[in-house]
Amino acid sequence: MTKHVKGAEALPLNQIIAGDCIDVMNSLPAASVDLIFADPPYNLQLKGDLHRPDNSRVDAVDDHWDQFSSFRAYDEFTAAWLKAARRLLKPNGAIWVIGSYHNIFRVGAALQNEGFWILNDVVWRKSNPMPNFRGKRLTNAHETMIWAGKSEDSKYTFNYEALKALNEGIQMRSDWVLPICNGHERLKDSKGDKAHPTQKPESLLHRVLVGSTNPGDVVLDPFFGTGTTGAVAKMLGREFIGIEREESYRTVAAARIAKVRKFDREALSVSVSKRSEPRVPFGQLVERGMLRPGEELFSMNQRHKAKVRADGTLIGDDVKGSIHQVGAALEGAPSCNGWTYWCFKRDGKTVPIDVLRQQIRAEMREQ
Amino acid sequence: MTKHVKGAEALPLNQIIAGDCIDVMNSLPAASVDLIFADPPYNLQLKGDLHRPDNSRVDAVDDHWDQFSSFRAYDEFTAAWLKAARRLLKPNGAIWVIGSYHNIFRVGAALQNEGFWILNDVVWRKSNPMPNFRGKRLTNAHETMIWAGKSEDSKYTFNYEALKALNEGIQMRSDWVLPICNGHERLKDSKGDKAHPTQKPESLLHRVLVGSTNPGDVVLDPFFGTGTTGAVAKMLGREFIGIEREESYRTVAAARIAKVRKFDREALSVSVSKRSEPRVPFGQLVERGMLRPGEELFSMNQRHKAKVRADGTLIGDDVKGSIHQVGAALEGAPSCNGWTYWCFKRDGKTVPIDVLRQQIRAEMREQ
DNA sequence: CGTAGAACTGAATCCAGGG
DNA sequence: ACCCTGGATTCAGTTCTAC
C-alpha cells in the first residue's frame, strides 16, 4: 500500500524498507509522518566477557551495529538521523527515542539541539531486569524514553483519557513498570537463539501508540529490528513504515507482522502483578527518618533489645543482621517476622514497628 | 574546622562558603574531595544565573538570545562547573548530579565529555508527585540522578552490602521510590513560605551517602541551597563543604545543620562485603595441620575429587594447581571459588573447607 | 497427566591486589 | 606499566526434565 500526499510523492505504508535509515528517510516525502519511534544503537562499549555467579556466560550485545569509535562518531550519527527524522515529521508530529545511560544523554541533548521540544522523559522500570552479577554497581533496572514534539509549538497528540484508563483511572505517570520481553513473545531464529538481542516488549509500544497517536496515523520506525513497532501499530489500526538494514531482522519482522490481527489484544496482556501489599524494606523507615540510626528497638516480650544501624540492619549483643535475622537469633528460633516482633518507644509508649510500615503503605495507596 | 592536605592548602570542612561555586571550587586544593553531590540550577529563564567559562555574565536582555544560544550558554556553564568539580575530586572520587529532562541530558553529555565515567543513572521515583493539572502530558513523577566516577579507572566507593541491607536483602536497583520533601522536613522562611523551591529529601541523600561514601569522607555540594547534603553528611559522620551564593539559603542551612546530631559510631557501621575480610592462603590449612597432605577433597557436587599436597596445591586426574585452578579445570568453568567448591570428610560427615577458613579468621579477630 | 525441581536467560560500560 | 591469580558475585521469571 502507498499513500499519496501533497507533493505527489508516494509514502510506502506497512512495509519494511531495506537500507540505511538516513538514506531511506531522505528519500521519503517531507512532513508526511505523524510519529516516529526510534530504538537506536546504545553504544554499550562492553569490554570483556561477563559471567554469572554460576559461571554461565552472559550473551552480550556485541553486534557490529552497536560499535562506534568514539562519542564524537556517535554524536554525528545521532544528529544525522535526527535531522532526517525531523524533516519527515508533520508540523504537529512527535518522536519517541529509547536508550540507556550509555547513550540517552547524548540523544537527549541532540534532540534539543535539532529543535525538538521535550514533552516528557519516561522511565521504563523493568519488573525483571538482569541483576548486577559482580555487585559493583546498582542493578540497571530501567531504560529511558524521551518524548518530544517536532518543535516547541507543535500541537502534539496526547490521549490523556486513554492512558488514564490504562492506568486504572489514575493519571498516567512518567514511570512505567513493565516486564522485559521474554517467553513466547521473544522471537527466536531457526536455531532457537533469540532473533534480535534487544527486542522491546509489545506492552511498551502499546502504551506509546495509544497515548500519542490516533487510528490511521503514520508511525515510522527507523531502527525496525524485529518489528515490535509495526506489530503493535497493526494491532492498533495505525499505519507503519519500518526501515531496517539487516536482512535477517527484516525476514523475522515480516513473518511476525503477517501473523498479527488488528485489535489482537491477547498479545498485549501484561502479566498483572499480584494484588498483594507492596514490599516495604525496613531500611526505608531509617532513610525516611521514621526511626533514627542508634535508636533502640525492643522485642514484643520486652526480653531483648537491639540498635538500629544506618543501613537498616540491627545490632544486638553479638548479633547483626536484618530485623528478621536478629529476632530469630535472639529467640533461638529458625525464623522470625521482625515486623511484628520489634517495637520502638515514642512519648513513653511502646509502638510496634509495623505501624510505620502501614503508614508508608497508606501513603503509597493515596496516589 | 580546616583540614591540611598534601600541598599545605587548607580544606574548609563543615562550612558553608559564600560565593560563585566555580570561583570557590577553583580556590580549593585539587584532589581533596571524595564525593560531590550537585543539584545544579536548570531554570533557563534565569539567564542571569548563567556564566560563561571566562566568567562573563550572559546578558539577559541580549536580542540574540534564542533557544539555541540558551542551550549553548547552559552547556558552557555546565562544562565550567564540572571542570572545576573534577579538579577537586581525588582520583578515586565520584560525583552525583540530579536533574530533570530540562537539563539532565545536557549534564550527562557534559559529564562524559569531561572524562567522567558514568556508573549508573538512578531514577528517583516520587511517591507523591505534583499531578499534571492541565492533562496535556504525563505526570512528571521522577527526577534523574547520574552517578559517575572521576575517570574510567576510578576505584569508586560502593557499599554494596549496605545498600542491599537497606533493601532487605535484595540488590539495590537503579529506581528509588522515595517521597518528596514536605511536612516538617520542608524548611519554611519567616513568612511561612518554603525556604527553597527544590529542597531535596534527606532520604535521598541518606541512600547516596551510605552507598557511595565511608565515614570521614569529604563530601562537597557546589549548589548547597538549604543544605540537605550537609545535614545528612553530619548525621552520617561525613565531612561536608557547602558552596552557596544566596545569603538567605546559607542562613537557613546553617541553622538547620547546627540542630543536627551525629549518629553514634555503632549506628554508623554498616554491613560489609566478604571482600573486605583478610585473605587466608589455603596452604595455611595444611601448615597448621587442619588438613593433612594426602587427604582427599571432594567437590560440592560429589562428582570430582583431588588430593591435598604438602605445598597447599591439589592434584586430581591430570590436573595440578590451586584449589581454584583445579576446581575450574574439573568443571570446565572459566573460574571457580575453591573455598566453596571443595569439602573434606570428618567422622563420616562432609564439611566445606570454608569452615576452616572461617575458623582462622575468627582467631585473627580475637587478637 | 500433573508437579517439583533443575536449567536457563535478560541492552551489562560488572575485580583487586601482588609481583 | 603489565601479568597473573585468588576468589566474590544474582533476581524474576520461563522453560525444560524427571518422576
Side-chain angles (χ1 to χ4, degrees), chain B residues 19-328:
Chain B
D20 174 81
C21 75
I22 298 171
D23 298 338
V24 173
M25 284 195 280
N26 284 337
S27 75
L28 295 173
S32 55
V33 164
D34 295 288
L35 191 84
I36 291 174
F37 183 91
D39 183 7
Y42 47 86
N43 189 338
L44 293 177
Q45 312 316 313
L46 294 181
K47 292 161 190 166
D49 275 352
L50 302 178
H51 290 69
R52 297 202 174 88
D54 63 4
N55 240 349
S56 66
R57 252 181 136 78
V58 172
D59 187 356
V61 293
D62 189 337
D63 287 342
H64 300 298
W65 187 272
D66 55 19
Q67 190 176 304
F68 180 74
S69 46
S70 159
F71 281 133
R72 199 175 55 183
Y74 191 82
D75 290 345
E76 286 173 358
F77 163 71
T78 302
W81 77 257
L82 281 178
K83 247 189 247 298
R86 190 154 186 269
R87 178 185 150 271
L88 282 188
L89 280 178
K90 295 178 186 172
N92 291 331
I95 188 171
W96 289 80
V97 189
I98 185 167
S100 70
Y101 68 80
H102 302 92
N103 70 325
I104 198 65
F105 303 114
R106 313 205 77 85
V107 170
L111 275 164
Q112 293 177 314
N113 293 342
E114 294 299 328
F116 288 96
W117 190 247
I118 298 183
L119 300 167
N120 276 117
D121 60 336
V122 176
V123 170
W124 168 30
R125 198 257 187 195
K126 303 177 186 180
S127 54
N128 46 355
M130 171 115 53
N132 185 296
F133 293 113
R134 297 177 56 209
K136 304 304 271 182
R137 301 184 186 189
L138 301 163
T139 303
N140 213 335
H142 74 275
E143 291 187 31
T144 302
M145 292 190 289
I146 302 174
W147 174 36
K150 177 170 183 175
S151 68
E152 182 171 354
D153 37 37
S154 290
K155 306 265 177 273
Y156 55 92
T157 297
F158 181 52
N159 294 320
Y160 175 74
E161 292 293 340
L163 288 186
K164 192 171 167 179
L166 267 181
N167 198 31
E168 268 198 4
I170 293 169
Q171 189 171 88
M172 186 69 82
R173 302 169 34 123
S174 59
D175 54 328
W176 297 358
V177 181
L178 295 170
I180 59 175
C181 180
N182 56 15
H184 292 304
E185 191 185 324
R186 188 82 194 215
L187 298 166
K188 303 283 163 49
D189 62 19
S190 51
K191 287 176 296 189
D193 298 327
K194 49 193 178 195
H196 191 280
T198 65
Q199 186 184 339
K200 297 291 173 289
E202 295 186 357
S203 56
L204 195 71
L205 270 295
H206 182 99
R207 204 174 278 190
V208 166
L209 294 184
V210 166
S212 58
T213 63
N214 292 312
D217 279 3
V218 176
V219 180
L220 180 137
D221 186 335
F223 307 98
F224 202 59
T226 46
T228 306
T229 303
V232 179
K234 184 175 175 188
M235 285 179 214
L236 291 175
R238 276 72 168 165
E239 318 282 354
F240 73 87
I241 302 172
I243 306 173
E244 177 53 51
R245 217 170 40 178
E246 302 289 329
E247 192 188 350
S248 61
Y249 296 159
R250 291 198 303 269
T251 308
V252 172
R256 169 191 195 178
I257 294 169
K259 274 188 271 186
V260 167
R261 229 173 20 137
K262 183 179 160 178
F263 301 139
D264 59 58
R265 204 172 55 82
E266 198 175 45
L268 292 180
S269 67
V270 294
S271 314
V272 293
S273 154
K274 254 202 273 180
R275 271 188 271 253
S276 55
E277 296 267 349
R279 197 138 134 184
V280 178
F282 175 73
Q284 203 165 121
L285 310 195
V286 185
E287 288 171 345
R288 298 174 60 160
M290 300 166 104
L291 291 171
R292 296 180 323 272
E295 185 162 357
E296 274 195 326
L297 299 187
F298 304 86
S299 70
M300 223 42 148
N301 56 24
Q302 302 290 339
R303 275 204 283 270
H304 300 285
K305 57 186 183 182
K307 257 186 195 162
V308 176
R309 302 203 295 176
D311 63 353
T313 58
L314 300 188
I315 182 161
D317 300 335
D318 302 328
V319 262
K320 295 190 282 205
S322 71
I323 51 173
H324 316 293
Q325 289 166 335
V326 174

Side-chain angles (χ1 to χ4, degrees), chain A residues 181-198:
Chain A
C181 179
N182 60 11
H184 288 117
E185 188 184 331
R186 189 81 193 213
L187 298 166
K188 302 284 160 56
D189 63 17
S190 52
K191 288 177 296 187
D193 298 325
K194 55 192 176 194
H196 191 283
T198 70

Side-chain angles (χ1 to χ4, degrees), chain A residues 159-219:
Chain A
N159 296 318
Y160 175 77
E161 291 296 340
L163 286 185
K164 194 169 165 183
L166 270 183
N167 197 34
E168 295 180 335
I170 300 163
Q171 193 170 86
M172 185 70 81
R173 304 166 41 113
S174 57
D175 58 318
W176 299 354
V177 180
L178 296 168
I180 60 174
C181 179
N182 60 11
H184 288 117
E185 188 184 331
R186 189 81 193 213
L187 298 166
K188 302 284 160 56
D189 63 17
S190 52
K191 288 177 296 187
D193 298 325
K194 55 192 176 194
H196 191 283
T198 70
Q199 187 185 338
K200 296 294 174 288
E202 296 186 354
S203 56
L204 194 70
L205 270 293
H206 180 87
R207 211 172 268 194
V208 166
L209 295 184
V210 165
S212 59
T213 62
N214 293 311
D217 278 4
V218 176
V219 179

